[in-house]
Amino acid sequence: MSVTRAGSQAGPSDQELLNAVLDTAGVLVIVLDPGGHIVRFNAACERLTGYRFEDIRGARIWDVLLVPDEVEGVRRVFSQLAAGHFPNTHENFWRTRGGEKRRIAWSNTAILGEDGAVRYVVGNGVDITELREAEADARRLTEEQAARRAAEAEILARKRVEEALRLSEAKFAGIVSIAADAIISTDEAQRIVLFNQGAERIFGYRAEEVVGQPLDLLLPERSRGVHREHIAHFAGAPVVARRMGERQEIAGRRKDGEEFPAEAAISKLEVGGQRIFTVVLRDITERKRSESAQRFLAEASSILATSLDYATTLSSVARLAVRSLADLCIIDIVEEEGRIRRLEAVHADPAKEEIAAALRDYPLDRDRRHLAHRTLQTGETLLVSDVTDDILAGLAQDERHLELLRRLEIGCFLVVPLLARGRMFGAMTLVCSRAQRSLDERDVALAEELARRAAFAIDNARLYREALQAVRSRDEVLSVVSHDLGNPLSAIFIGAGLLEGELPDASVDATVRQHLDAIRRSAEQMERLIHDLLEIRRMEAGRLQLRPQPVKVAPLVAETRQILQPLATVKSLRLEAEIGDGLPPVRADRERLLQILSNLVGNAVKFTPSGGTITIRVEPAGDALRFSVSDTGPGIPEDQLPFIFDRFWQAQHTGRRGIGLGLAIAKGLVEAHGGSIWAESRVGAGSTFHFTMPADRPAN
Ligand code: ADP
């Protein structure tokens, strides 16, 4: 890894990584700004040079540490870094506080700012003074010895440089991965000694402002005592690192006084006889917020799902909203006739509930302005912050209304539309009192999501109500049709019969007979439809009466064929039967069983084109017999199979030849006998309808 950007969103820091970083004590780590000023200087540097970081912090490196000849070389490194060449390595001499010269092998890299410019130069170095001296000694020895020593030295040097680079990479990875977190070190007296960029960003202080200050500065007052105890306990514990706040949430305090939830881990380290505590801390405000938003929405959804009575569920949702989102929540509903009904107004503060009640009952003139007026008209969200008296005056229906609004001490308000499937169902208004809180973009998103879910609940409830109404009115029409058509139909039958009887046999015009025939056929069809309708109503009302008895299968199938043969012949269809040998009788109401079979065979005849074959089969199936009616007709598309037994259902392609009750009746009758019915079909490969009937086994 060679490049990072300050402030990049690194993955979560883990304790090991942090320890790897801190444990690089043997490696020299120095951080400079682009001007060469010392920004960080680790304990290894302190030990080597004899300077304390505090002594040389902010000094330019060439003024304190570099041998004058080296300045050029270091400047070259800086320009290489600026040109993007890193990591790079070089060697130079440092002069220690005691005047000693040490040779250091450096590996350098840069941390870039958002703008791509070098923000910090990070150098990781290894002291190779002895190594180089050994090399020099070696030169003085005999050729042979020298060669050997040089080879050893070379191996050693390579090893140490490799080691340095490896650590440097670990260090660098560490820097990257913790960049988003705050890293704060304190001494034993709990004074801040290190405050990284992450900490600056999270807490809002600059490092200069807090280094040397007590850590308490970064904690809410109430948790300072607990924190001190925790540190004291941790100091004496055998572990070197630990997660903080395992049992309770920890909180930080920003420069502006704002508190925030945090997650932290602490480690301790002996540096030069001093004990240093380092806390790695992450601001989890965002995470907490989105967790609580999810919880809030889940709770709202479960409230909305409890009932189809949306007036009640929306009231509960309003109550939920004033628990975490706002101080006052008003819900206005657009009634089906377009009238606006104020469904609810709740206030979080019981002392102001009386104002909410007055607003709830306030008669709204929809042509005059009020808080939700614009949103109800445009369907758009409206967020008004810093509400002034002028704004309020523009939103009041009249003086008394204005007075109520004033008493709410509104700081800001948000109106979100209740929109579902492009329809406007109303608006939800959330009001925050001046003293309490304000609403931001995230609250808007949350409120809009809540409103969307509420609108779907209203939509569903209304659709359900409409569906119920539609079913009810259809059933009413059906019952009128089925009962009241009986008498006129009988009159038609009688009239047609009388007319036919009065016709002189031979002399009559053939067309008159044809007309009479057509009248009777139509009347018969009507009679069948009425019969089916009455049947289905009886079934649904549980008024179906069965007279089960043993029914022999072969004669039953024969009778079915007899009934339908004429129709099959007209359509040039073959009607066949395959009945297993020695089948027991079934236990059924014979008339009803005949009706089921006739319905199925009738359908097969109806839908199978000329030249086709219809086969009735009966086979044993456990304690029952299975009847199957197969045809060579057009088949039923797979996606429609699940619906064919529904009332009034017809496949698209069949045209309106019946009214879609035949199979529903068959199913009702089969199930009333304790059997089951199903269909198998493929488009172009015919259909087979199966049903079972319990076998009638004589009791032993
Ligand atoms: P309908 O009175 O319309 O025939 P049914 O309940 O008997 O009502 O049948 C419902 C629908 O199922 C029919 O309209 C048709 O689309 C389909 N159907 C039933 N039997 C067959 C079959 N043998 N072949 C193809 N489609 C069938």
Side-chain angles (χ1 to χ4, degrees):
M1 180 174 315
S2 56
V3 183
T4 185
R5 282 170 197 282
S8 68
Q9 288 299 309
S13 67
D14 67 59
Q15 198 57 50
E16 272 177 23
L17 209 43
L18 172 67
N19 285 338
V21 173
L22 295 173
D23 284 345
T24 53
V27 177
L28 307 169
V29 179
I30 185 163
V31 182
L32 306 173
D33 69 13
H37 300 97
I38 298 168
V39 182
R40 297 276 187 284
F41 191 70
N42 78 341
C45 289
E46 291 188 335
R47 274 196 301 275
L48 178 79
T49 61
Y51 288 108
R52 282 178 49 80
F53 173 38
E54 292 311 316
D55 303 332
I56 56 165
R57 175 192 197 113
R60 293 192 314 171
I61 184 152
W62 30 80
D63 294 336
V64 277
L65 292 167
L66 289 182
V67 173
D69 297 351
E70 303 283 5
V71 174
E72 246 341 284
V74 171
R75 285 198 195 278
R76 235 187 348 266
V77 168
F78 269 66
S79 47
Q80 278 175 0
L81 293 174
H85 302 298
F86 48 81
N88 62 37
T89 54
H90 89 289
E91 278 183 30
N92 62 10
F93 278 107
W94 268 12
R95 190 186 298 283
T96 68
R97 192 173 193 175
E100 197 189 344
K101 270 170 66 178
R102 305 294 300 182
R103 184 78 180 162
I104 322 273
W106 290 104
S107 162
N108 307 304
T109 191
I111 295 180
L112 305 183
E114 296 292 340
D115 56 0
V118 172
R119 195 152 158 214
Y120 294 107
V121 172
V122 181
N124 293 257
V126 180
D127 180 2
I128 52 166
T129 314
E130 278 75 18
L131 197 75
R132 291 290 178 250
E133 277 168 11
E135 286 171 342
D137 282 345
R139 274 195 292 279
R140 286 195 297 275
L141 296 171
T142 62
E143 287 279 315
E144 196 191 315
Q145 279 174 322
R148 205 179 57 243
R149 291 285 295 275
E152 283 170 2
E154 191 53 41
I155 292 167
L156 193 62
R158 207 174 301 133
K159 261 195 174 153
R160 288 189 75 171
V161 169
E162 268 169 21
E163 177 76 348
L165 278 175
R166 201 174 56 71
L167 284 170
S168 140
E169 258 172 33
K171 158 82 179 156
F172 198 49
I175 289 175
V176 172
S177 72
I178 57 190
D181 294 335
I183 301 180
I184 303 159
S185 297
T186 66
D187 58 15
E188 238 153 332
Q190 293 286 294
R191 273 178 207 291
I192 298 167
V193 293
L194 184 140
F195 198 74
N196 79 337
Q197 290 164 35
E200 290 185 336
R201 206 171 36 244
I202 291 175
F203 286 92
Y205 287 106
R206 294 189 44 76
E208 298 84 82
E209 295 176 82
V210 290
V211 167
Q213 300 278 344
L215 185 73
D216 282 355
L217 190 68
L218 307 176
L219 300 171
E221 219 159 304
R222 61 187 155 77
S223 57
R224 289 177 186 165
V226 179
H227 183 79
R228 277 191 178 278
E229 265 172 44
H230 178 83
I231 297 287
H233 190 254
F234 175 64
V239 290
V240 292
R242 167 182 291 172
R243 237 179 89 85
M244 284 169 77
E246 253 148 17
R247 263 156 303 205
Q248 73 190 78
E249 201 164 85
I250 67 162
R253 185 173 177 276
R254 298 190 222 276
K255 187 176 179 182
D256 62 10
E258 188 195 351
E259 272 187 34
F260 64 92
E263 209 172 65
I266 184 165
S267 65
K268 60 185 171 197
L269 191 75
E270 294 284 338
V271 181
Q274 255 239 19
R275 181 174 276 164
I276 300 285
F277 295 99
T278 300
V279 173
V280 179
L281 175 140
R282 177 168 301 172
D283 179 349
I284 54 169
T285 311
E286 289 303 305
R287 198 174 78 202
K288 285 262 152 198
R289 229 178 137 168
S290 81
E291 277 170 8
S292 79
Q294 287 312 318
R295 260 201 312 276
F296 174 77
L297 286 175
E299 202 175 331
S301 292
S302 74
I303 291 175
L304 290 168
T306 48
S307 140
L308 278 168
D309 170 11
Y310 67 80
T312 311
T313 55
L314 287 189
S315 289
S316 310
V317 166
R319 264 162 242 287
L320 184 68
V322 297
R323 232 170 55 200
S324 50
L325 207 53
D327 298 312
L328 170 74
C329 177
I330 302 175
I331 296 182
D332 293 307
I333 296 291
V334 181
E335 298 278 22
E336 267 125 312
E337 324 78 64
R339 251 185 329 114
I340 289 168
R341 177 161 68 103
R342 176 142 291 178
L343 186 74
E344 190 54 283
V346 247
H347 204 289
D349 179 359
K352 294 205 169 136
E353 183 48 42
E354 155 245 341
I355 311 177
L359 282 173
R360 188 167 46 229
D361 300 334
Y362 209 90
L364 284 186
D365 178 347
R366 61 178 294 194
D367 296 328
R368 305 183 102 163
R369 301 195 54 192
H370 54 98
L371 296 183
H373 182 80
R374 213 185 91 180
T375 299
L376 284 168
Q377 293 213 315
T378 61
E380 281 167 13
T381 295
L382 172 72
L383 173 64
V384 182
S385 310
D386 301 324
V387 174
T388 59
D389 201 56
D390 278 352
I391 295 179
L392 275 195
L395 291 171
Q397 298 247 308
D398 50 41
E399 265 308 311
R400 200 167 77 81
H401 192 220
L402 179 61
E403 195 43 44
L404 282 175
L405 294 181
R406 276 190 185 132
R407 283 173 58 203
L408 286 171
E409 295 169 337
I410 301 176
C412 67
F413 71 92
L414 167 66
V415 193
V416 284
L418 301 177
L419 271 174
R421 292 191 301 132
R423 268 183 71 189
M424 180 75 176
F425 290 101
M428 181 166 73
T429 306
L430 297 166
V431 176
C432 290
S433 316
R434 226 168 289 137
Q436 296 300 319
R437 49 169 299 177
S438 60
L439 295 166
D440 61 17
E441 268 169 40
R442 293 166 145 275
D443 296 310
V444 172
L446 184 59
E448 280 177 336
E449 181 56 30
L450 177 67
R452 204 178 61 82
R453 294 181 190 205
F456 271 103
I458 302 175
D459 190 26
N460 283 344
R462 287 196 181 163
L463 285 176
Y464 179 70
R465 208 163 60 199
E466 279 165 19
L468 277 188
Q469 255 158 17
V471 168
R472 213 172 293 136
S473 47
R474 188 195 61 191
D475 284 353
E476 274 161 20
V477 170
L478 285 185
S479 91
V480 170
V481 167
S482 42
H483 282 113
D484 300 357
L485 280 187
N487 290 341
L489 198 56
S490 307
I492 293 173
F493 272 124
I494 293 167
L498 288 176
L499 261 179
E500 206 172 12
E502 280 176 20
L503 286 178
D505 269 356
S507 61
V508 163
D509 188 342
T511 51
V512 176
R513 277 198 190 284
Q514 270 173 11
H515 290 322
L516 268 177
D517 253 11
I519 291 173
R520 204 182 26 244
R521 268 202 314 277
S522 302
E524 276 166 6
Q525 204 181 350
M526 260 173 96
E527 194 179 33
R528 258 197 318 278
L529 292 181
I530 290 168
H531 172 265
D532 280 358
L533 284 171
L534 287 172
E535 183 90 331
I536 208 95
R537 281 188 63 77
R538 247 200 309 276
M539 242 179 239
E540 281 172 0
R543 284 190 273 112
L544 192 69
Q545 285 188 349
L546 296 180
R547 275 188 296 273
Q549 53 181 345
V551 180
K552 286 201 184 115
V553 175
L556 180 87
V557 171
E559 190 174 342
T560 311
R561 287 175 71 185
Q562 209 179 0
I563 297 170
L564 285 145
Q565 191 59 58
L567 272 179
T569 309
V570 170
K571 282 191 74 181
S572 310
L573 298 170
R574 292 226 310 271
L575 189 50
E576 298 182 345
E578 294 172 13
I579 300 169
D581 288 333
L583 290 177
V586 287
R587 187 158 184 79
D589 182 318
R590 194 172 192 284
E591 278 311 301
R592 300 305 200 177
L593 185 50
L594 195 62
Q595 192 182 349
I596 300 166
L597 259 183
S598 311
N599 271 357
L600 297 182
V601 179
N603 273 350
V605 170
K606 189 158 60 175
F607 294 112
T608 307
S610 299
T613 306
I614 292 152
T615 314
I616 307 170
R617 266 186 212 90
V618 190
E619 299 155 291
D623 289 346
L625 294 191
R626 184 172 66 222
F627 292 73
S628 311
V629 178
S630 309
D631 63 46
T632 54
I636 302 163
E638 204 182 328
D639 58 337
Q640 301 186 7
L641 271 178
F643 310 111
I644 55 173
F645 294 101
D646 292 352
R647 293 182 346 166
F648 303 108
W649 190 88
Q650 294 187 310
Q652 304 288 321
H653 68 276
T654 55
R656 296 196 68 83
R657 301 194 211 176
I659 52 167
L661 282 179
L663 289 178
I665 291 173
K667 180 170 192 272
L669 291 175
V670 168
E671 287 174 354
H673 281 88
S676 53
I677 186 165
W678 68 101
E680 286 166 8
S681 184
R682 259 204 359 246
V683 172
S687 314
T688 302
F689 286 80
H690 306 273
F691 69 90
T692 56
M693 275 288 127
D696 180 71
R697 303 223 173 261
N700 296 321

